[in-house]
Amino acid sequence: MGSHSKLPEELLTLLKEGERLRSQYYRGRFAPSPSGPLHLGNLRTALVSWLRARLRGGEWLLRIDDLDTPRNRSGALESIQKDLSWLGLNWDGPIILQSKRRKLYESVLLALKQQGKLYPCRCSRRLLGNRNGLNDGDGSNIYPGTCRELGLPWDATDGRLPSLRLRVGKKFSNTSGDVLVRRADGFIAYHLASVSDELFLGINEVVRGEDLAKALTSQLAVIDALKQKPIAFLHTPLFLGTDGIKLSKRQGGEAAMSTHAEFMNAENLIGFLAATLDLVPQGSELSALELLSELRNNQGSIDTVLTA
Ligand code: GLU
């Protein structure tokens, strides 16, 4: 199959529908991984993302990034829902579970493969010194293309699958490098699943934590490979723990829970989170809806906490 072959009709239809949804009105999303309870940083990102969607009169979807099953923790899904509801961050429509959408991602992979845009790669993460499959966004962790022209077999060898990479166009070769789209353990990679969902679900703006800013160029490269118009990605500052270290659900789950328990009520926590972004004075207590109506009179203030 030539590299110019078109995407299959079903995919084109799904992408068109996504494009139609994107052109309708603002549609954002919050997409936690159920690897533990949400920590304060996640909650603050959720709050900003929710505010942004509601200020635009748009929709806000809740997607659960649960493809990396070994990292899923039992009870995390329930705890995420409970915390968001408790805070008054209501989402639209049913919760979207990535684990229920594997077929869709497989069909995107297959289509890209048939277009000659993928190749098998045998480089280990250890070899690449890149443990999470994200590049660092500063050019320091770009896949050097080692397996690009080797024509390695697609099948498992000695019981081990290759990973699959997307051959990116020239404009991404120095920023994202060839993007990992299926991991060597056979799991669909985050970039592929996440981008497919933004496109199919009609998301036109992503607001997420700054730790994911390094995923940006890889995700734009996937959007480009699917010949779709870029969508907006904005990032909220990282919420650092008192020790100045990035919070992590996996390491800090229990600590986050107990910190969380210190907040007597949702108004207290919303006030605290909003004050850390200078949206309200310290010590404020207000509901998510009250914060929203305050910001309606001062729309610009939310923009100042977001970066590209
Ligand atoms: N599931 C990812 C995480 O929790 C976030 C994905 C995203 O917002 O793009 O780190």
Side-chain angles (χ1 to χ4, degrees):
M1 258 176 250
S3 56
H4 299 294
S5 57
K6 272 179 48 181
L7 291 171
E9 276 312 313
E10 304 125 66
L11 269 192
L12 285 174
T13 308
L14 289 171
L15 288 170
K16 274 234 165 68
E17 172 60 8
E19 198 181 317
R20 189 185 68 79
L21 292 171
R22 280 200 295 288
S23 69
Q24 278 181 329
Y25 45 76
Y26 185 102
R27 197 176 276 100
R29 56 50 160 193
F30 178 55
S33 305
S35 52
L38 298 174
H39 57 56
L40 292 177
N42 302 134
L43 291 174
R44 195 177 70 171
T45 300
L47 173 63
V48 173
S49 167
W50 178 86
L51 286 168
R52 177 91 173 162
R54 298 307 182 215
L55 284 170
R56 296 289 166 108
E59 285 188 354
W60 191 65
L61 309 187
L62 176 58
R63 185 183 87 207
I64 303 295
D65 288 358
D66 58 351
L67 289 180
D68 193 348
T69 44
R71 286 181 48 198
N72 293 346
R73 290 290 166 266
S74 75
L77 173 60
E78 293 71 23
S79 133
I80 290 169
Q81 294 180 63
K82 212 174 85 205
D83 284 355
L84 294 177
S85 303
W86 181 70
L87 279 177
L89 306 182
N90 56 319
W91 58 92
D92 296 297
I95 296 181
I96 298 142
L97 296 178
Q98 286 197 321
S99 55
K100 296 262 155 62
R101 298 166 64 80
R102 286 201 180 93
K103 276 211 185 99
L104 197 60
Y105 312 134
E106 293 289 353
S107 68
V108 176
L109 270 186
L110 184 64
L112 290 170
K113 182 181 175 198
Q114 287 175 339
Q115 289 192 315
K117 290 183 178 169
L118 302 189
Y119 64 87
C121 169
R122 285 280 172 191
C123 298
S124 67
R125 283 180 179 187
R126 199 160 53 90
L127 187 81
L128 298 171
N130 177 1
R131 283 177 293 122
N132 54 13
L134 302 176
N135 78 55
D136 283 332
D138 59 0
S140 64
N141 224 338
I142 290 180
Y143 179 64
T146 319
C147 296
R148 192 179 232 250
E149 307 304 338
L150 296 184
L152 296 172
W154 297 87
D155 298 332
T157 312
D158 298 331
R160 285 181 48 245
L161 280 171
S163 57
L164 298 182
R165 286 189 184 270
L166 173 71
R167 259 173 229 284
V168 300
K170 271 222 173 60
K171 103 178 130 144
F172 293 100
S173 57
N174 294 324
T175 53
S176 78
D178 288 347
V179 179
L180 183 79
V181 286
R182 195 193 70 195
R183 299 171 6 180
D185 54 14
F187 289 7
I188 303 284
Y190 156 62
H191 298 310
L192 195 272
S194 186
V195 166
S196 302
D197 281 337
E198 319 311 1
L199 294 175
F200 294 142
L201 299 170
I203 304 298
N204 40 30
E205 188 181 270
V206 167
V207 173
R208 60 185 177 189
E210 194 157 43
D211 52 328
L212 290 161
K214 60 189 169 198
L216 179 63
T217 52
S218 300
Q219 297 185 350
L220 291 176
V222 177
I223 295 177
D224 183 66
L226 292 167
K227 298 205 161 39
Q228 300 299 298
K229 287 192 211 100
I231 62 175
F233 288 88
L234 294 173
H235 298 92
T236 63
L238 274 196
F239 191 106
L240 301 178
T242 41
D243 49 4
I245 295 171
K246 182 189 160 216
L247 302 175
S248 148
K249 279 198 284 250
R250 272 152 296 137
Q251 296 155 6
E254 272 159 42
M257 283 290 266
S258 55
T259 321
H260 202 136
E262 284 168 26
F263 293 94
M264 311 278 289
N265 53 48
E267 286 77 14
N268 201 272
L269 180 51
I270 295 277
F272 169 79
L273 294 173
T276 63
L277 294 169
D278 290 329
L279 294 174
V280 294
Q282 274 194 14
S284 298
E285 289 193 27
L286 74 183
S287 70
L289 280 176
E290 285 163 349
L291 176 59
L292 177 64
S293 68
E294 287 208 5
L295 294 178
R296 282 220 164 91
N297 305 321
N298 182 13
Q299 292 256 0
S301 56
I302 193 87
D303 299 346
T304 62
V305 306
L306 295 167
T307 51

